[in-house]
């Protein structure tokens, strides 16, 4: 009898052991699935952000990562196919959808695939019959990047080196002609001597003269020079931004269109109908008036920008008062694009900017001797509604993409988590906070408006591309609070050891507590911040 009980006990122990192993295995599987789902959501958010700013190659990588994490969901396949269609890669879009249907059997994938096969989806996407208003609502209004245009029209080799990297790659193309690529500018610049001026290129050193200006650029990506660029871009949209008639031209090499704005001429590859199919389309920017005014000094060209929309502010008034010499003054008004130009003597200036409906803001600007300044941005905020605050992030050309995070809880029980992939926080039908502008190409603004000060919130900045250069390049945060005439200005603290995460401040029921410290870098991976 004892032997039977012993055997029974052993059997029960074995069964329990098997069940325990199965339970552990099931638990591990559930954890793994949970992690895969989290990765999937993060990669989808990153992909959507890249796609929205026409950074299609990065979007493709993120969508593929999402598919690898959770291959049975339809969203990543649909998004990836959409990116391929925006690039004009119909066959890749079809292959993606066919693979997706194999894994998911989702009717949404089948519908999109059928739309490509019967041509209806392609007509809606690329044809000329699509309603213009619908197109503009989906993409936003295409426009020029005014600040960058000002740089193109006025920057010398010295200016480009100061702004985009002092140790560029320089290649001699021919006698009196060099090609220059700066580390922080995704473009190739061409400098050439002319029959009228043989001092643009220093032939002895095979490099541009410090005051020389490029007469041609080739851009790696069109979203450097355009705002709200999202391919495909139709001939009608291009005509809206060009100061001259736009017509497709076909030669032995390609079809292209020519656009003009100010003194800038731009040729861009298109299809036969004049539609730009890719953000990476062949292009050349021609600057025929470059080097004509190289001797002119003391000119400041800039743009006044709305912190909430990212657009230029028309009819803004700027007053410049010299700190070192009271006789050094200047005034300027912005045009309909928010641009201005003013001649100034060398000095450090107090700058006051006023515009109807905006906070009166003060800035400081130094005009050095024998220099011009172009593309300078002055960001101003619309007046605040009662009980609200505004946070504006600004930086330089690098890091390319800084992101704002506002996290906390309101007294009413609402949770706030605002960033590029969750732009609005709401509770009980009321908006608590909102990301107004998400800049992905340097300089800013990136703006969050907080509508409920009754709570405790923390604001953090993260380098989306994880370049670990935030401390080196720096950034500025302006905090607008009720009852304060000027915003609180916070810059990256020297020696704080900030790599990719900058914990900037805490806002406790409207009271500002500046942190200005490095955040925890553990487990931080690109696209999942």
């Amino acid at each position: 009898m004892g032997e039977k009980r012993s055997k029974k006990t052993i059997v029960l122990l074995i069964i329990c052991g098997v069940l325990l192993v199965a339970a552990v295995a099931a638990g591990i599987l559930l954890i793994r699935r949970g992690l895969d789902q989290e990765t999937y959501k993060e990669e989808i958010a990153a992909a959507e952000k890249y796609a929205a700013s026409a950074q299609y190659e990065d979007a493709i990588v993120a969508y593929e990562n999402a598919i690898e994490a959770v291959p049975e969901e339809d969203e990543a396949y649909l998004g990836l196919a959409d990116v391929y269609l925006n690039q004009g890669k119909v066959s890749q879009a079809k292959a993606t959808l066919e693979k997706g249907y194999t894994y998911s059997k989702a009717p949404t994938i089948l519908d999109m695939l059928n739309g490509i096969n019967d041509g209806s989806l392609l007509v809606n996407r690329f044809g000329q019959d699509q309603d213009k208003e619908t197109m503009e609502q989906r993409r936003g209004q295409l426009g020029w990047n005014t600040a960058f245009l000002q740089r193109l029209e006025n920057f010398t080799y010295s200016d480009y080196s100061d702004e985009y990297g002092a140790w560029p790659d320089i290649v001699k193309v021919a006698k009196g002609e060099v090609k220059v690529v700066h580390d922080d500018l995704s473009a190739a610049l061409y400098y050439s001597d002319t029959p009228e001026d043989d001092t643009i290129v220093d032939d002895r050193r095979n490099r541009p003269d410090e005051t020389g200006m490029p007469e041609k650029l080739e851009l790696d990506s069109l979203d450097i020079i355009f705002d709200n660029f999202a391919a495909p871009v139709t001939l009608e949209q291009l005509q809206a931004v060009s100061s001259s008639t736009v017509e497709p031209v076909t030669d032995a090499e390609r079809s292209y269109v020519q656009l003009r704005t100010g003194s800038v001429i731009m040729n861009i590859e298109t299809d036969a109908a004049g539609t730009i199919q890719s953000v990476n389309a062949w292009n050349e920017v021609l600057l025929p008036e470059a080097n004509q005014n190289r001797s002119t000094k003391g000119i400041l060209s800039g743009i006044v920008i709305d912190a909430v929309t990212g657009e230029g502010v028309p009819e803004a008034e700027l007053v410049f008062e010299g700190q070192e010499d009271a006789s050094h003054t200047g005034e300027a008004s912005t045009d309909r694009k928010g641009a201005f130009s003013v001649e100034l003597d060398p000095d450090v200036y107090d700058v006051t900017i006023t515009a109807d409906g905006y906070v009166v803001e003060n800035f400081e600007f130094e005009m050095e001797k024998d220099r011009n300044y172009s593309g300078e941005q002055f960001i101003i905020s619309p007046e605040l509604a009662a009980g609200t605050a505004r946070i504006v992030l600004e930086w330089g050309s690098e890091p390319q993409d800084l992101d704002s995070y506002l996290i906390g809880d309101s007294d009413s029980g609402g949770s706030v988590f605002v960033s590029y992939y969750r732009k609005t926080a709401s509770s009980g039908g009321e908006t608590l906070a909102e990301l107004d502008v998400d800049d992905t190409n340097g300089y800013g603004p990136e703006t969050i408006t907080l509508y409920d000060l009754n709570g405790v919130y923390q604001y953090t900045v993260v380098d989306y591309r994880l370049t670990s250069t935030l401390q080196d390049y720096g950034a500025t945060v302006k905090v607008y609070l009720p009852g304060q005439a000027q915003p609180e200005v916070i810059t990256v603290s020297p020696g704080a050891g900030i790599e990719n995460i900058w914990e900037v401040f805490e806002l406790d029921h409207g009271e500002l507590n500046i942190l200005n410290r490095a955040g925890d870098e553990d487990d931080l991976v690109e696209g999942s911040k």
Side-chain angles (χ1 to χ4, degrees), residues 374-431:
S374 300
E376 297 293 326
Q377 294 188 171
F378 295 87
I379 299 170
I380 63 176
S381 168
E383 294 174 347
L384 291 171
T388 65
R390 181 163 292 128
I391 308 157
V392 181
L393 171 64
E394 307 173 40
W395 67 102
S397 60
E398 292 291 328
Q400 183 179 351
D401 188 0
L402 295 183
D403 284 321
S404 297
Y405 286 74
L406 186 67
I407 302 171
D409 296 289
S410 69
D411 291 350
S412 61
S415 178
V416 170
F417 187 101
V418 171
S419 69
Y420 71 88
Y421 62 87
R422 192 175 298 161
K423 295 187 177 182
T424 303
S426 302
S427 177
E430 297 292 327
T431 299

Side-chain angles (χ1 to χ4, degrees), residues 10 65 75 127 165 289-290 304 338 374 380 401 435 490:
I10 293 172
N65 289 342
E75 188 177 5
E289 297 181 15
V304 177
S374 300
I380 63 176
D401 188 0
L435 178 68
I490 309 168

Side-chain angles (χ1 to χ4, degrees), residues 305-311 377 379-380 391-395 402 404 435-440 442-447:
I305 294 177
D306 185 313
V308 173
T309 67
E311 304 292 333
Q377 294 188 171
I379 299 170
I380 63 176
I391 308 157
V392 181
L393 171 64
E394 307 173 40
W395 67 102
L402 295 183
S404 297
L435 178 68
D436 301 299
V437 182
D438 176 24
D439 185 275
T440 61
Y443 300 99
E446 177 140 326
T447 303

Side-chain angles (χ1 to χ4, degrees), residues 8-30:
K8 186 180 292 185
T9 301
I10 293 172
V11 171
L12 288 174
L13 288 174
I14 292 172
I15 292 172
C16 290
V18 170
L19 291 174
L20 179 61
V21 170
V24 171
I28 292 172
L29 182 60
L30 287 173

